[in-house]
């Protein structure tokens, strides 16, 4: 009876003793948990420690499906398994199973595949080149894994004052006569970045002044011929520019209406009228026939006359 009691006691101890795991520890080195990547075949670095084997087999599982395997993983040695079939965009659970005498499962981690860049565009953007006292910059953004959006205002990167799930916006007070160049960009959690186009606005002059509206708006003028004598009058008849002008140069003009007189040697004087509402450009063509040069019929008549004179001279 005593021997039987010892046997029963030993069996009871075996039943209540905790199971002895073959893999005693896991180190999931990379990628970190909750990782975002645009790599559709990511690699997974891990180290498994076994209590009874020097080598064993391991398999990468993603959402329950087996991917890469290694049948000779060394104990307590960093090992890399790769998603050997491309993953589509989305969130996945991954883990490692290793087997020596029995199968052990690593902790689960999450990875998100995202290959799509943020979509960002202006909403009711200010007109580039116009003048304002205040201006609101508002953008619309679409991205599943958006991280942040920023406004770059005259070279300074800023956080938008206002935002919701789809829009970012901010209102700026502009200083009179100042020029501002700006754009916005958005970045997702992978680090993929998309940018709007750059726009330019000017601070509007309050209370008028010659030409009214704005100070130092660049107006680019091109001409044919390439160099002319240019005179510009404002709406009150005052000369605001006078001198030799080369095609492609810029003149700073306030908002307003102007009379433009162009002169070039051998060409008739040309008068044009322009209205400046923003930074812009104008092209002026002087007459294609310079003064003093006969038209086509005159040339024909002269040639015929000379031919007749030559004919009679030869007959003599």
């Amino acid at each position: 009876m005593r021997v039987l009691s010892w046997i029963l006691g030993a069996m009871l101890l075996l039943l209540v003793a905790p199971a002895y795991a073959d893999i005693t520890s896991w180190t999931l080195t990379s990628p970190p948990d909750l990782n975002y990547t645009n790599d559709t075949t990511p690699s997974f670095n891990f180290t498994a420690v076994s209590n009874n084997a020097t080598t064993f087999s391991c398999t990468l599982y993603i959402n329950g499906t087996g991917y890469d395997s290694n049948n000779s993983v060394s104990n307590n040695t960093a090992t890399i398994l790769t998603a050997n079939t491309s993953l589509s965009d989305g969130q996945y659970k991954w883990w490692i199973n290793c087997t020596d005498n029995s199968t052990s499962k690593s902790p689960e981690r999450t990875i998100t595949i995202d290959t799509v860049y943020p979509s960002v565009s202006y909403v009711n953007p200010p007109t580039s080149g116009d003048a304002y006292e205040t201006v609101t910059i508002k953008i619309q953004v679409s991205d599943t894994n958006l991280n942040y959006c920023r406004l770059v205002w005259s070279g300074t990167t800023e956080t938008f004052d206002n935002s919701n799930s789809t829009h970012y916006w901010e209102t700026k007070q502009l200083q009179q006569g100042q020029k501002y160049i700006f754009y916005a960009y958005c970045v997702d959690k992978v680090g993929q970045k998309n940018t709007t186009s750059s726009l330019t606005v000017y601070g509007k002059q309050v209370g008028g002044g010659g030409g009214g509206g704005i100070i130092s708006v660049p107006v680019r003028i091109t001409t044919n011929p390439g160099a002319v004598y240019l005179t510009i009058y404002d709406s009150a008849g005052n000369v605001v520019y006078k001198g030799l002008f080369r095609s492609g140069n810029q003149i700073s003009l306030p908002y307003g209406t102007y009379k433009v007189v162009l002169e070039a040697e051998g060409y008739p004087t040309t008068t044009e009228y322009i209205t400046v509402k923003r930074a812009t450009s104008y092209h002026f063509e002087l007459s294609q026939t310079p003064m003093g040069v006969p038209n086509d019929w005159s040339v024909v008549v002269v040639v015929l006359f000379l031919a007749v004179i030559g004919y009679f001279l030869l007959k003599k």
Side-chain angles (χ1 to χ4, degrees), residues 11-300:
M11 292 177 63
L12 182 61
L13 287 173
L14 289 173
L15 288 173
V16 299
Y20 198 69
D22 292 315
I23 303 299
T24 58
S25 68
W26 294 91
T27 302
L28 303 181
T29 306
S30 66
D33 197 16
L34 303 176
N35 178 245
Y36 291 82
T37 180
N38 56 11
D39 183 357
T40 58
T41 56
S43 295
F44 301 84
N45 188 314
F46 70 96
T47 300
V49 178
S50 172
N51 62 3
N52 60 14
T54 57
T55 61
F56 38 86
S57 62
C58 295
T59 301
L60 166 67
Y61 282 86
I62 301 176
N63 278 6
T65 300
Y67 282 76
D68 195 9
S69 294
N70 186 335
N71 294 324
S72 56
V73 174
S74 296
N75 186 30
N76 197 20
T77 302
T79 304
I80 295 176
L81 297 177
T82 301
N84 45 22
T85 301
S86 183
L87 302 173
S88 58
D89 280 21
Q91 188 179 85
Y92 298 87
K93 292 284 188 182
W94 68 273
W95 63 88
I96 307 294
N97 275 4
C98 289
T99 303
D100 47 13
N101 289 334
S102 63
T103 299
S104 298
K105 177 183 176 182
S106 76
E108 292 185 359
R109 283 190 171 177
T110 299
I111 186 172
T112 299
I113 309 298
D114 181 2
T115 61
V116 180
Y117 281 64
S119 171
V120 54
S121 59
Y122 287 112
V123 178
N124 299 321
T127 302
S128 189
D130 272 4
Y132 301 87
E133 294 179 37
T134 61
V135 65
T136 298
I137 300 100
K138 187 174 186 179
I139 62 169
Q140 178 174 316
V141 61
S142 174
D143 191 86
T144 304
N145 303 301
L146 183 66
N147 193 3
Y148 61 86
C149 293
R150 295 289 184 265
L151 172 66
V152 180
W153 180 259
S154 290
T156 301
T157 302
E158 305 176 1
T159 301
F160 278 91
D161 288 344
N162 309 282
S163 65
N164 55 33
S165 60
T166 57
H167 294 85
Y168 288 74
W169 67 97
E170 182 169 334
T171 299
K172 291 287 189 181
Q173 185 80 34
L174 308 187
Q175 296 183 15
Q176 297 183 31
Q178 293 297 311
K179 176 182 179 181
Y180 302 89
I181 300 174
F182 66 91
Y183 64 91
Y185 66 86
C186 295
V187 179
D188 65 16
K189 292 178 181 177
V190 176
Q192 297 167 140
K193 176 181 176 181
N194 217 344
T195 305
T196 66
S197 59
S198 292
L199 298 179
T200 302
V201 293
Y202 297 85
K204 190 172 185 179
Q205 181 178 349
V206 180
I214 188 170
I215 301 172
S216 299
V217 176
V219 177
R220 183 172 182 267
I221 296 177
T222 57
T223 62
N224 184 21
V228 298
Y229 193 82
L230 183 66
T231 307
I232 300 178
Y233 302 87
D234 65 15
S235 57
N238 301 309
V239 176
V240 296
Y241 181 90
K242 188 173 185 178
L244 184 64
F245 186 86
R246 294 194 178 277
S247 178
N249 287 347
Q250 288 189 163
I251 299 175
S252 295
L253 295 174
Y255 272 23
T257 301
Y258 298 89
K259 175 183 176 182
V260 180
V261 179
L262 304 100
E263 300 172 88
E265 185 176 354
Y267 287 78
T269 299
T270 299
T271 301
E272 302 281 355
Y273 291 88
I274 62 173
T275 299
V276 176
K277 291 184 176 180
R278 67 183 66 174
T280 187
S281 61
Y282 293 94
H283 178 75
F284 301 115
E285 288 275 345
L286 275 67
S287 172
Q288 294 297 309
T289 305
M291 293 178 62
V293 177
N295 59 34
D296 292 343
W297 283 108
S298 298
V299 172
V300 172

